[in-house]
Amino acid sequence: MWKTALKPRWIAGLVFAIVVSGVFVLLSQWQFGRSTQPEVAVNPDTEDVRVLTETLVPGSFFPGSVSDQMVSAEGTYDPAKQVLVPERLKNGENGYWVVSAFAVTGAPAVTGVAASPQTWIPVARGWVADPDDAGAPPSGIVNLTGRLLPSESPLPSTAPDAGRASAVSVAELINYWDISMYPGFVAATSELAAGSDLSAAAVDGALKPLEIGPQPPAQQVNWLNLFYSLEWVVFAGFALFIWWRLVKDDYRRDLEEELDDNPHHDAPPAEATSEQLQQKVKP
């Protein structure tokens, strides 16, 4: 059969089948890539700074529509209400997030027996490698700008030391600080106090900026595109199968012609068909 496969026309056919299979494989990869692309691109509206008091309501659930939204707020920090969140990476180095409580001016008051007179929001002001480098937040009236993020989940079975928190969790921080808070936190990008920006992004010090950008939406599997990608792989294999089948048919035709030309040949070829062998042994 190899002699048949080495005919010039079948060598050319094999090259053509390989080229067709390669095209089908590329189409399969393209369809597979489309099957895992985000359904929606990053929303550019999140980069437009909105007023916090007009964006999020304290004492309610955190809506996904405002996640990653850049917001601004005026208020004051309480230096006594500050924690460090460990196990935070920056440029491959392990360190701490510095999270401070920020009393929002003009924020709606939360009702309830345990509600505090003011409404606060946790602010992740920056990252430090050494907990001793976490200085006090800016004093006085601060005009805060940052990215609004949903509350994290506290780590289970964890009892942080004093001045520590397992995560930027509103539920956990409420117990630490005993205050009413928004259902999310702000990653600060700017902290204007007395006309100067005192944020980690503006001041070169031990406190480094978090630099949290808008998060892309979670990838969703498009099952139709995934099916198409598998289908193209089948087509690629089928192109090679067709070539092999055509070569095999040509080989059988050659055998039939050889038997017709030599009807009294006693020894059939080694690769003769079972029908040919049966015909040879008939009396």
Side-chain angles (χ1 to χ4, degrees):
M1 186 169 175
W2 282 109
K3 184 177 180 181
T4 303
L6 292 176
K7 291 181 179 180
R9 60 174 176 173
W10 293 125
I11 293 177
L14 177 60
V15 172
F16 178 75
I18 292 175
V19 171
V20 171
S21 296
V23 172
F24 288 165
V25 169
L26 292 177
L27 289 172
S28 174
Q29 292 178 341
W30 174 70
Q31 289 286 2
F32 182 78
R34 286 180 58 86
S35 70
T36 55
Q37 285 183 347
E39 293 284 336
V40 182
V42 174
N43 186 3
D45 292 339
T46 60
E47 305 310 292
D48 297 332
V49 180
R50 300 180 183 177
V51 180
L52 174 62
T53 54
E54 300 175 359
T55 304
L56 188 61
V57 178
S60 64
F61 292 103
F62 189 98
S65 59
V66 300
S67 182
D68 286 342
Q69 180 65 51
M70 294 295 293
V71 295
S72 64
E74 182 181 273
T76 56
Y77 284 110
D78 184 348
K81 294 180 174 60
Q82 179 167 285
V83 295
L84 300 179
V85 181
E87 304 298 328
R88 299 294 164 133
L89 293 176
K90 184 174 179 64
N91 299 327
E93 185 178 359
N94 207 0
Y96 303 81
W97 276 13
V98 181
V99 180
S100 305
F102 185 80
V104 181
T105 302
V110 177
T111 60
V113 177
S116 61
Q118 289 180 300
T119 302
W120 306 66
I121 190 167
V123 177
R125 298 178 43 243
W127 177 94
V128 292
D130 189 340
D132 294 334
D133 293 333
S139 59
I141 301 297
V142 176
N143 290 303
L144 172 70
T145 303
R147 192 172 300 279
L148 183 61
L149 299 170
S151 172
E152 298 178 346
S153 299
L155 298 181
S157 304
T158 302
D161 298 332
R164 301 285 195 275
S166 66
V168 191
S169 167
V170 171
E172 186 175 347
L173 295 175
I174 284 177
N175 293 328
Y176 289 166
W177 295 333
D178 193 22
I179 53 178
S180 302
M181 288 196 289
Y182 278 89
F185 71 98
V186 173
T189 58
S190 174
E191 295 171 305
L192 295 176
S196 300
D197 189 354
L198 303 179
S199 66
V203 178
D204 187 14
L207 185 67
K208 304 300 181 182
L210 299 182
E211 298 175 345
I212 299 177
Q215 303 301 304
Q219 289 186 337
Q220 299 180 0
V221 177
N222 187 320
W223 293 104
L224 183 60
N225 289 107
L226 186 61
F227 171 78
Y228 286 155
S229 69
L230 297 176
E231 194 175 53
W232 283 117
V233 172
V234 174
F235 289 162
F238 190 69
L240 295 175
F241 171 78
I242 290 295
W243 172 84
W244 173 81
R245 184 70 186 185
L246 292 174
V247 171
K248 186 175 181 180
D249 291 344
D250 190 25
Y251 170 70
R252 287 182 173 178
R253 284 194 297 269
D254 290 344
L255 283 179
E256 292 174 356
E257 292 175 359
E258 184 178 348
L259 289 174
D260 291 341
D261 294 340
N262 301 282
H264 301 295
H265 199 282
D266 294 331
E271 296 184 56
T273 62
S274 60
E275 292 82 359
Q276 294 167 349
L277 292 174
Q278 291 175 2
Q279 293 175 359
K280 288 290 182 180
V281 298
K282 285 182 179 179

